[in-house]
Amino acid sequence: MAWTGAREAAARGGGEGDRMQEHYDFRRIEKKWQDDWDRRQAFEVEMDPGKPKYYCLVMFPYPSGEIHMGHCRVYTIGDVTARYKRMHGYNVLHPMGWDAFGLPAENAAIKHGKHPKDWTEANIARIKRQLHGLGIGYDWRREVTACYPDYYRWTQWLFLLMYRRGLAYRKKAPVNWCPECATVLANEQVVGGLCWRCDTPVVKKELEQWFFRITAYADRLLDDLALLEGWPERVRVMQENWIGRSHGAYIDFPLVPPAGTRPGAEARTGDARRVGATAADEGRVRVFTTRQDTLFGATYMVVAPEHPLVERAIREADPARAEELRRFRERARDLSEIDRTSDPAKEGLFTGLYCLNPGTGERIPVWTADYVLMEYGTGAVMGVPAHDQRDFEFARKYGLPVRVVIKGPDSPDLAEEMTEAYEGEGVMVDSGPFSGTPSEEGRRKVAQWLEREGLGKATTIYRLRDWLISRQRYWGAPIPIVYCDRCGVVPVPEDQLPVTLPHVVDFTPGESPLARVKEFVETTCPDCGGPARRETDTMDTFVCSSWYYLRYTSPGCEKAPFDKEAVDYWMPVDQYIGGIEHAVLHLLYSRFFTKVLHDAGMLRPVEPFANLLAQGMVTKDGAAMSKSKGNIVSPDEMAERYGADTARVFVLFAAPPEKDFEWTDAGVQGTFRFLRRVWRIVYDLRELAAKAPPGSVVPPAETAAGGGGLDDPNRALLRSAHRMVKKMTLDIDRRFNFNTAIAAAMEMLNDFYRYVENVPEAERSPAAVREALEKLVLCLAPFAPHITEELWRELGHEGSVHDERWPEWDEAYVETEEVEVAVQVNGRLRDRMVVPKGAGEEELREKALACARVGPFVEGKEVVKVVVVPDRLVNIVVR
RNA sequence: GCCGGGGUGGCGGAACUGGCAGACGCGGCAGACUUAAAAUCUGCUGGCCUCAGGCCGUGCGGGUUCGAGCCCCGCUCCCGGCACCA
């Protein structure tokens, strides 16, 4: 315990035995206290029903190669939050773990000839050391590593829970395939038609895959966003857009039998309904619309090129048209998602088929066009050119009729006069029995009518698709399913979990690497004992990350994914911190998991994360730090040159946490200067402070009664300290503005230096100096934990500064006896005056009018009015 | 196109609820200390002018108000999300 001497010396009041160094030796200090915290297991926590809990969580990282100041920023935000809450008496859970399954490990392994496990573990070890070096205080006993069997066993268990609850299913469907990653992707993982990881254009493939039925929770995921008041608006909006709920109706359009079989069918209104009601599925086309009120304006129909009706049209058409249709369909299929959706020219082709508008009973042509997507709605839309801009353009291009059925306040009466579709509300016209109905009411009425007549029904559809979780790669949790010739799809019984990922060496992609491992694939059926094959796909890593925050509450639990009592104590996460890139992905999946587990009775909360902070990026040379751009500033480099405390304070001081900021070396130096000044003020004043007992606080009455006022420098010093405490507390509590909180500490320090500069030693109050020093050190403790720990001991304390309570402020100090009041004439600042705090309006008015500088502006003018804001300003209005 | 966020000195950013715009930091300038430099400390630092003073100034144009960076109307530009979504 090398520091004992220094502490005793400080407590003795310095002198010849004083060993506090004048030099701020951050290397020595940081190492010393990091070791001390380890030894004392300072950040380990247990459930304690007697204390309020606080769960502070940073999104667990993917252990890739390089960590940089961007990571440093997130972990620092989390650590400051955790330490700050601890100082407020909370029982703080602040854990860390590893999102250790995933493609980069596999790709890096292929590239470097190393096994993904070794690569991952080496990275984990390095990042762990770096986090330690930053002084981040985690409860490492709770560390979870997603690629270890004791974790993924429960990921598999949760898959089975989904399966049991009908939420995991297998289906053949056109899915997103990334040729570069050689695997399928969930919809959320395709960004603008490109793979979210490697930016490769994604193609559609027809494959049989496993899905989670997240769409069953679409309404709750959407509606419960309203509960998330502690989330940034933009994240909620992104999820809202992603879920994309639309209210509307299905409408069945009866197909007109091939030409000649029913001549004149379209002539008699009413037939439509009979045909619609009796025809088999083959005999009608179902559309989805949000504007059923415009049904009578549907003059044609369009189906997606992939729609089964196109196949039928090809069968029934003459050879020339059939060939044309085939070509059209192939062209649409071969276009990538981006090409197809970025081309605004709406290409279409008549199929040769007709159907009946169930409203008007008229025969209308069925077209196919690439602007209709098979994936959304029913893959078929009714064409209402007068009231939908796309339909309008399509109709103009192909000479289809336009019929006005909604009359808005100033919409054209005649279709011929239209230059664009009228998409607004209005009154239904030319719509049979509905004519005269306001469009909003019309939507309700038409839906009711459709339902009554068996022609359709009101419905709600979503943009959200079910979550595709199969991955054709090696480095993931195996899907615990067995295929038996006799029993079919058989889930692996829970007592046989985990399905262990074999330690293969050939994981080159192409097909699922596990399919090549005979010992893995060949198994026996859990039901009949006969020969069976294992599922060889692994799970999307987002499955692993959808529940890790629950595992932290009871990481050793061997009977379940988590202990009920522990999860009830700790959940929900009080503060979640992470990147905005997960606004939809991870944050939506985790909300889904939480709701499923809630429904299964395993979890009380319906939402996992009460408050969310989406932190901004750290950029350098205008771009996010990344290995490929070569603009990385590493924490090691920072720790070596300036120390962890400087790195921590700088990343918080540079900008509010949710904003991006540009790294500057000069800014770091400024922060280092600040900490060195903190060090020196303690060094310079330690002997004086030692004359007052540690922890002493000056009662406000003492300086006030002693004739204090603005001119009493000791009182002014205390005021500065108390103001700092107040501002820092409010800035952190109200809005996580660490930047302005740190600025408040800097201001106080500036006052402190002015005090030292201006107040002769004989006039300095040891008690006031001690109180000011201690408040400064305490307030900086969460931000710069090492230097404050050292200084705290130098101030004569036995225990850790991190076990202390956050300081309080006293309004009696914060408030002053005198205030400066601005004097304006016609809203323009002309003078200032110092008056007693709380001075009356009349007094202020008179003093303001008497101000010397005010005179020339008032002279010879009529004073119309004097606005007085006590303690702030007086505005004299003249004419 | 729709939705969300934003535009403040040379730079990062402050400004509670409509009340002294530019806190704090960086950079710059000047001074002190030093043989000198670095470091440190102190002061100044939005622009302009006829400079003890005044005028202008928070993307642009209007409005409300005694008073607007903040509220209202109309634009504009930037960032993010969604997007032939029926």
Side-chain angles (χ1 to χ4, degrees):
Chain A
M1 299 242 281
W3 62 94
T4 310
R7 189 212 308 152
E8 284 170 355
R12 273 199 312 272
E16 47 194 356
D18 186 348
R19 273 182 232 147
M20 181 177 179
Q21 295 181 10
E22 187 173 0
H23 169 63
Y24 167 38
D25 183 359
F26 60 87
R27 286 189 194 88
R28 181 183 63 87
I29 293 166
E30 292 183 354
K31 171 84 173 66
K32 177 170 101 186
W33 292 112
Q34 283 163 14
D35 291 348
D36 177 70
W37 300 331
D38 287 347
R39 210 163 35 238
R40 294 183 13 244
Q41 300 164 337
F43 302 100
E44 296 182 2
V45 280
E46 295 298 340
M47 277 189 276
D48 180 354
K51 263 171 136 185
K53 68 93 184 179
Y54 192 88
Y55 189 174
C56 175
L57 184 65
V58 171
M59 288 180 188
F60 73 162
Y62 180 79
S64 64
E66 292 291 328
I67 95 158
H68 50 70
M69 297 322 289
H71 300 101
C72 181
R73 187 182 191 190
V74 204
Y75 305 127
T76 302
I77 292 168
D79 194 49
V80 170
T81 305
R83 286 175 186 267
Y84 178 80
K85 288 292 173 182
R86 238 170 80 110
M87 290 181 85
H88 280 82
Y90 287 94
N91 194 28
V92 176
L93 174 58
H94 187 217
M96 178 47 60
W98 314 101
D99 189 12
F101 268 138
L103 262 181
E106 211 168 325
N107 292 339
I110 292 162
K111 200 167 149 195
H112 302 118
K114 250 179 139 181
H115 192 277
K117 181 166 186 279
D118 300 333
W119 185 84
T120 302
E121 285 178 343
N123 288 343
I124 288 174
R126 186 173 59 249
I127 298 171
K128 223 167 154 171
R129 181 181 53 71
Q130 289 174 318
L131 291 173
H132 189 260
L134 278 169
I136 313 278
Y138 294 122
D139 181 351
W140 282 110
R141 293 171 313 160
R142 295 172 183 269
E143 176 178 11
V144 302
T145 307
C147 65
Y148 288 166
D150 66 341
Y151 183 87
Y152 71 70
R153 167 187 181 183
W154 298 110
T155 306
Q156 292 171 338
W157 188 93
L158 289 165
F159 174 94
L160 296 175
L161 177 82
M162 292 281 182
Y163 186 81
R164 270 203 310 278
R165 299 181 69 81
L167 296 169
Y169 67 96
R170 208 165 124 86
K171 78 170 174 196
K172 189 164 186 165
V175 295
N176 305 301
W177 173 267
C178 172
E180 177 67 27
C181 297
T183 184
V184 296
L185 298 168
N187 270 25
E188 290 77 16
Q189 294 156 28
V190 179
V191 182
L194 305 177
C195 171
W196 73 298
R197 265 199 192 288
C198 65
D199 289 342
T200 306
V202 164
V203 297
K204 289 279 177 201
K205 260 197 176 186
E206 186 84 5
L207 287 172
E208 188 156 12
Q209 300 282 298
W210 283 95
F211 291 85
F212 281 165
R213 207 180 298 279
I214 192 170
T215 53
Y217 283 75
D219 276 321
R220 284 164 67 189
L221 287 168
L222 188 62
D223 294 340
D224 287 356
L225 287 172
L227 304 173
L228 301 176
E229 285 164 17
W231 280 39
E233 165 88 1
R234 62 177 169 151
V235 175
R236 292 195 308 232
V237 168
M238 279 189 228
Q239 293 212 356
E240 213 174 289
N241 288 341
W242 187 261
I243 296 167
R245 181 161 64 190
S246 299
H247 297 293
Y250 287 133
I251 306 179
D252 292 328
F253 283 62
L255 278 167
V256 175
T261 54
R262 277 181 68 107
E266 68 277 15
R268 292 194 304 276
T269 311
D271 265 18
R273 268 170 271 168
R274 274 202 298 282
V275 173
T278 56
D281 278 347
E282 271 278 279
R284 50 190 176 180
V285 195
R286 170 166 283 197
V287 304
F288 172 77
T289 180
T290 54
R291 292 298 302 270
Q292 57 272 23
D293 54 317
T294 64
L295 171 63
F296 289 76
T299 54
Y300 65 98
M301 167 173 297
V302 202
V303 299
E306 302 89 342
H307 197 281
L309 199 63
V310 174
E311 181 57 39
R312 175 173 159 186
I314 290 171
R315 275 202 314 272
E316 291 177 7
D318 58 79
R321 191 196 296 277
E323 182 51 31
E324 218 181 336
L325 283 167
R326 236 180 254 117
R327 268 210 309 276
F328 186 82
R329 188 174 59 180
E330 275 157 26
R331 198 184 69 96
R333 193 187 53 208
D334 293 344
L335 278 178
S336 71
E337 187 96 347
I338 351 166
D339 292 338
R340 191 167 151 185
T341 52
S342 62
D343 181 12
K346 294 162 182 43
E347 295 292 330
L349 189 63
F350 178 47
T351 60
L353 303 175
Y354 289 89
C355 63
L356 300 179
N357 179 325
T360 62
E362 280 173 333
R363 192 180 79 151
I364 60 174
V366 178
W367 285 62
T368 179
D370 51 12
Y371 78 89
V372 178
L373 306 175
M374 196 60 215
E375 297 83 48
Y376 187 78
T378 60
V381 299
M382 61 183 197
V384 185
H387 306 294
D388 181 286
Q389 187 58 23
R390 282 162 316 179
D391 296 345
F392 183 81
E393 286 162 24
F394 192 76
R396 280 284 152 93
K397 181 167 178 180
Y398 292 105
L400 293 158
V402 178
R403 175 182 296 155
V404 173
V405 291
I406 301 291
K407 182 69 189 77
D410 33 47
S411 66
D413 288 309
L414 295 169
E416 297 73 41
E417 290 168 6
M418 290 187 124
T419 52
E420 56 178 11
Y422 176 70
E423 296 184 331
E425 303 289 339
V427 176
M428 294 173 72
V429 293
D430 205 5
S431 296
F434 299 101
S435 298
T437 312
S439 49
E440 198 183 333
E441 186 188 342
R443 284 198 280 282
R444 211 163 47 243
K445 292 217 164 137
V446 170
Q448 285 164 0
W449 173 78
L450 287 166
E451 201 151 350
R452 220 165 38 234
E453 301 290 328
L455 295 165
K457 89 200 269 278
T459 192
T460 300
I461 68 163
Y462 305 87
R463 216 183 69 92
L464 179 72
R465 306 281 84 171
D466 275 340
W467 173 14
L468 167 50
I469 59 140
S470 302
R471 294 293 178 271
Q472 290 71 47
R473 296 295 298 246
Y474 164 72
W475 193 234
I479 296 173
I481 288 288
V482 161
Y483 301 101
C484 169
D485 286 340
R486 210 175 321 164
C487 312
V489 176
V490 183
V492 174
E494 283 174 24
D495 58 13
Q496 289 175 30
L497 295 182
V499 175
T500 311
L501 185 68
H503 190 90
V504 301
V505 277
D506 175 20
F507 29 73
T508 46
E511 55 175 327
S512 301
L514 289 178
R516 297 191 289 262
V517 185
K518 212 174 141 205
E519 316 84 78
F520 177 81
V521 178
E522 290 177 4
T523 185
T524 52
C525 172
D527 278 4
C528 70
R533 294 173 54 82
R534 281 195 195 280
E535 166 68 58
T536 56
D537 284 352
T538 53
M539 280 187 255
D540 182 3
T541 52
F542 281 103
V543 177
C544 307
S545 58
S546 291
W547 72 282
Y548 77 102
Y549 48 90
L550 302 170
R551 186 70 180 170
Y552 282 140
T553 65
S554 45
C557 186
E558 284 177 11
K559 298 193 181 74
F562 48 84
D563 178 71
K564 180 86 169 74
E565 197 194 345
V567 95
D568 279 346
Y569 176 78
W570 291 111
M571 285 297 287
V573 172
D574 293 278
Q575 184 62 53
Y576 200 31
I577 302 155
I580 190 73
E581 67 273 18
H582 287 296
V584 173
L585 292 155
H586 162 63
L587 290 169
L588 186 68
Y589 297 146
S590 295
R591 294 183 59 223
F592 166 58
F593 259 67
T594 297
K595 289 181 192 305
V596 173
L597 290 167
H598 171 86
D599 290 353
M602 294 176 66
L603 201 56
R604 217 165 30 196
V606 292
E607 286 290 340
F609 314 123
N611 296 288
L612 176 70
L613 178 76
Q615 100 284 349
M617 283 188 309
V618 178
T619 59
K620 184 145 192 282
D621 313 319
M625 288 188 183
S626 78
K627 200 176 178 179
S628 57
K629 294 209 181 65
N631 58 351
I632 285 182
V633 177
S634 83
D636 294 339
E637 195 181 325
M638 277 301 111
E640 179 53 31
R641 286 176 61 190
Y642 301 104
D645 284 338
T646 295
R648 293 169 60 114
V649 173
F650 178 65
V651 294
L652 296 174
F653 178 64
E658 68 280 357
K659 277 190 76 166
D660 292 350
F661 80 87
E662 172 79 9
W663 183 266
T664 62
D665 289 327
V668 184
Q669 281 170 36
T671 305
F672 182 67
R673 260 198 299 270
F674 165 62
L675 290 181
R676 203 162 44 189
R677 275 159 62 84
V678 171
W679 179 269
R680 230 193 34 250
I681 199 85
V682 175
Y683 178 82
D684 287 347
L685 295 173
R686 72 200 185 285
E687 291 178 23
L688 186 65
K691 291 177 184 154
S696 57
V697 169
V698 187
E702 196 163 303
T703 48
L710 266 180
D711 55 334
D712 180 334
N714 288 304
R715 183 173 167 78
L717 178 68
L718 285 169
R719 176 179 310 127
S720 181
H722 282 256
R723 277 189 174 159
M724 167 190 69
V725 174
K726 180 178 182 179
K727 177 141 175 62
M728 290 184 82
T729 307
L730 296 180
D731 282 353
I732 298 170
D733 283 348
R734 275 199 311 239
R735 27 175 221 178
F736 281 84
N737 274 11
F738 302 121
N739 56 330
T740 52
I742 293 166
M746 289 173 166
E747 271 181 90
M748 192 266 160
L749 185 65
N750 289 341
D751 287 344
F752 223 144
Y753 271 84
R754 235 162 272 144
Y755 173 87
V756 171
E757 174 90 0
N758 299 325
V759 182
E761 287 194 49
E763 289 171 31
R764 297 178 193 164
S765 151
V769 165
R770 171 168 287 280
E771 187 184 338
L773 286 175
E774 290 195 352
K775 282 198 161 39
L776 179 66
V777 169
L778 286 166
C779 282
L780 286 174
F783 300 92
H786 311 88
I787 187 176
T788 50
E789 186 80 301
E790 179 77 11
L791 294 176
W792 190 245
R793 311 299 171 117
E794 293 292 0
L795 286 168
H797 293 275
E798 296 288 333
S800 167
V801 72
H802 304 294
D803 292 334
E804 292 295 324
R805 294 296 292 241
W806 182 258
E808 313 225 314
W809 77 90
D810 194 323
E811 281 294 334
Y813 276 128
V814 174
E815 287 178 8
T816 51
E817 292 81 13
E818 293 181 306
V819 287
E820 199 180 60
V821 169
V823 182
Q824 298 180 333
V825 178
N826 285 349
R828 310 184 63 107
L829 181 71
R830 295 302 175 191
D831 206 351
R832 295 188 169 96
M833 56 189 188
V834 175
V835 299
K837 193 179 172 72
E841 291 199 17
E842 197 54 41
E843 186 186 346
L844 286 171
R845 180 198 316 262
E846 273 163 30
K847 279 195 171 159
L849 285 164
C851 279
R853 290 199 186 147
V854 164
F857 293 96
V858 180
E859 211 123 302
K861 297 197 176 124
E862 182 195 349
V863 175
V864 179
K865 184 174 175 182
V866 179
V867 181
V868 180
V869 183
D871 295 339
R872 313 249 6 197
L873 121 177
V874 177
N875 187 14
I876 301 162
V877 186
V878 298
R879 196 161 44 199

